[in-house]
Amino acid sequence: MDKLTNFTVRIMQRYLPDALILAIFLTVIVFVLGLTVAEQSSIDMANHWGKGFSSLFTFGMQMTLVLLTGYALALTPIARKILTFLTDLPKNPRQALALVGLISFIACYINWGFGFVVGAILAKEMGKKMKGLHFPMVVAVAYGAELVRGPSSSIPLVVATPGHFLEDKIGIIPVTETLYSGWNITLSIVILIALILLFISMTPKKENIVEYQGDDEAEKVYGDIGKSKKEMTFAERLEHSYWVNLLLAAMPVIYIISHFKDLGFNLNLNMIILIFLSLALLLHRSPAAFLDVVKEGIVATRGIIIQFPLYAGVAGMMASSGLVMIFADWFITISTEHTFPFMTFIAAGLVNIFIPSGGGQWAIQGPVMIEAAMALKADLPQTIMAFAWGDAWTNQIQPFWALPLLGVAGLSARDIMGYCLIWLFLSGIIISLTFTGLSFM
């Protein structure tokens, strides 16, 4: 394991460029595939890219705000005390890896957006606290937890919603047959165990350990300008008054309570943003303290702001040129009733590299896979979950989803992808065996 880990890490560190370069190369690859495989003109492909470019503006802003508000919450005095308590629990680097993996997995299971922020900040704080902990690895285990498919997984939620776009073909498939089926819960538990065991077995030798090297914010007092209340101007007193935070927090708090009262535990990205914002405002001592933290967190969002539109352009080319359908049709031609869920998993994983958005990918590729599943008489709930797991699987080598976490940690994709590549292979084997075995039952 040590030799394999060192090999993959060296390869990634030597040859894997920055995530922005990868996005540019991916754009060029899809452009060329559109010309050669989909028989599109260069003008057509440029138009597809241009029309897709703005399609993730809303989502990109949501992810930016999830990261910013989560960052602001994590640096409130009470959150820092909780993080201190958690980071004091492990007594050695392996225990630290296991704890970060466990908490990140649980947080990602609840909601993937919540999990990104929790995992990133916990990994960073653990890196500060634990001597001898290989920081890139603890960030990698936090990111690896994103693989789990939980209550916020968009694809099974879509097919369980009345009026969804495939209802006339497959009807309503409840989450008890997909997300909360016995086999999917068992798979999730096995994935958690495998994640923790893999990463604690990959602990590098002492001479190869890279500890956290960033600034330590533990002693920072946010919002402090070195003046007493008497020395402040009227404007400065407002900026350092807690009641101003309460004034702004009142509106989202009222809305959140009303939302959950009417709809139950309906947690989506917009609600996560409002919850993080409300708690950050309530737990910071002044608007000045809140804004200091936000200013610091802005740096972590730069990858999202620049690169999400580039991936949206790639997705536009994939969808509008017909490349998605070409890939899907090829997998269908080599599938049988028993192999189709497995092939769906592989097909979803492949397309996810080019369209890293579960809901968007399902809208494009889903109808083709469902038609094929019905023609082959394959199990529909298994096909749907195979697609959902495949969509998450190749996230492990797709920097798109790692950008928020890397932004907080201050690392580049090449620092963690060597470990994520090994996790990709192991998790792929586990998931493939699961769906292959289910298809013969």
Side-chain angles (χ1 to χ4, degrees):
M1 177 60 73
D2 187 52
K3 290 181 179 179
L4 176 61
T5 303
N6 289 337
F7 173 75
T8 57
V9 170
R10 283 199 306 271
I11 290 294
M12 290 297 178
Q13 288 180 338
R14 178 170 293 187
Y15 297 109
L16 187 70
D18 182 81
L20 176 62
I21 307 302
L22 284 176
I24 295 170
F25 282 169
L26 191 61
T27 301
V28 174
I29 290 169
V30 175
F31 185 86
V32 173
L33 286 173
L35 299 179
T36 56
V37 177
E39 299 180 350
Q40 299 279 301
S41 71
S42 57
I43 298 297
D44 288 337
M45 293 303 292
N47 286 335
H48 299 330
W49 184 89
K51 291 176 181 176
F53 181 78
S54 61
S55 63
L56 289 183
F57 280 3
T58 298
F59 180 61
M61 187 63 175
Q62 287 174 320
M63 285 304 297
T64 299
L65 287 173
V66 165
L67 188 55
L68 270 181
T69 54
Y71 195 92
L73 174 59
L75 292 181
T76 59
I78 188 170
R80 284 197 277 180
K81 288 180 181 179
I82 293 171
L83 285 170
T84 299
F85 169 75
L86 289 174
T87 52
D88 281 340
L89 292 178
K91 304 305 178 186
N92 57 58
R94 288 189 173 184
Q95 291 180 8
L97 283 167
L99 182 64
V100 171
L102 175 63
I103 293 176
S104 299
F105 191 93
I106 293 171
C108 285
Y109 184 83
I110 294 170
N111 183 277
W112 56 267
F114 178 63
F116 275 138
V117 173
V118 169
I121 294 174
L122 181 61
K124 185 177 180 179
E125 296 302 314
M126 193 69 78
K128 296 177 190 176
K129 182 71 66 72
M130 179 62 64
K131 297 300 180 183
L133 177 63
H134 189 50
F135 186 57
M137 187 176 288
V138 76
V139 174
V141 74
Y143 183 57
E146 190 273 338
L147 177 61
V148 67
R149 299 296 85 188
S152 63
S153 181
S154 60
I155 296 167
L157 292 180
V158 165
V159 299
T161 303
H164 70 87
F165 69 96
L166 291 174
E167 184 176 2
D168 60 330
K169 293 183 182 297
I170 63 175
I172 303 296
I173 299 181
V175 290
T176 53
E177 296 181 23
T178 53
L179 281 174
Y180 304 122
S181 61
W183 54 264
N184 193 63
I185 292 174
T186 301
L187 174 58
S188 300
I189 294 171
V190 172
I191 287 291
L192 170 60
I193 295 170
L195 175 73
I196 292 174
L197 291 179
L198 174 67
F199 275 88
I200 65 175
S201 72
M202 290 195 296
T203 305
K205 293 179 181 178
K206 188 174 182 179
E207 59 268 24
N208 295 326
I209 289 175
V210 178
E211 295 185 349
Y212 176 77
Q213 313 245 332
D215 296 329
D216 189 351
E217 297 98 347
E219 302 302 321
K220 288 186 180 179
V221 179
Y222 294 101
D224 185 22
I225 58 172
K227 292 182 180 180
S228 66
K229 286 280 187 181
K230 292 181 179 179
E231 296 174 304
M232 292 181 185
T233 65
F234 174 75
E236 287 173 336
R237 284 198 295 273
L238 282 179
E239 291 165 3
H240 291 78
S241 298
Y242 180 64
W243 67 266
V244 179
N245 279 14
L246 293 178
L247 199 62
L248 177 56
M251 193 68 71
V253 167
I254 293 170
Y255 175 76
I256 290 165
I257 293 171
S258 175
H259 174 86
F260 288 133
K261 181 181 178 182
D262 294 339
L263 301 177
F265 191 68
N266 180 15
L267 196 62
N268 54 45
L269 274 182
N270 292 334
M271 291 307 300
I272 289 175
I273 292 167
L274 284 174
I275 291 170
F276 283 179
L277 174 64
S278 302
L279 291 174
L281 288 168
L282 291 171
L283 298 177
H284 274 294
R285 58 192 181 92
S286 69
F290 174 75
L291 289 174
D292 273 1
V293 174
V294 169
K295 180 181 178 181
E296 187 175 293
I298 285 286
V299 177
T301 69
R302 62 191 184 277
I304 298 174
I305 296 169
I306 294 299
Q307 293 178 48
F308 271 37
L310 298 183
Y311 281 108
V314 171
M317 289 192 293
M318 285 288 294
S320 300
S321 69
L323 283 170
V324 173
M325 299 305 181
I326 292 170
F327 287 169
D329 287 341
W330 181 78
F331 276 94
I332 290 166
T333 59
I334 60 174
S335 300
T336 67
E337 172 188 353
H338 297 298
T339 63
F340 188 72
F342 163 71
M343 296 305 291
T344 299
F345 167 69
I346 299 297
L350 176 63
V351 174
N352 177 65
I353 295 174
F354 303 96
I355 306 178
S357 172
Q361 186 180 342
W362 178 250
I364 298 165
Q365 195 179 356
V368 179
M369 308 310 286
I370 289 298
E371 287 284 358
M374 295 175 70
L376 293 169
K377 295 183 171 52
D379 187 277
L380 288 179
Q382 289 177 20
T383 298
I384 290 163
M385 286 310 299
F387 194 100
W389 280 99
D391 168 68
W393 177 51
T394 46
N395 283 346
Q396 303 308 307
I397 55 169
Q398 167 52 273
F400 178 86
W401 290 115
L403 292 174
L405 183 130
L406 293 171
V408 172
L411 298 178
S412 67
R414 70 171 67 92
D415 294 318
I416 70 169
M417 284 298 163
Y419 307 107
C420 292
L421 183 62
I422 296 175
W423 175 231
L424 176 89
F425 286 127
L426 177 60
S427 60
I429 291 170
I430 293 170
I431 299 168
S432 297
L433 289 174
T434 297
F435 285 107
T436 300
L438 286 170
S439 66
F440 285 96
M441 293 176 63

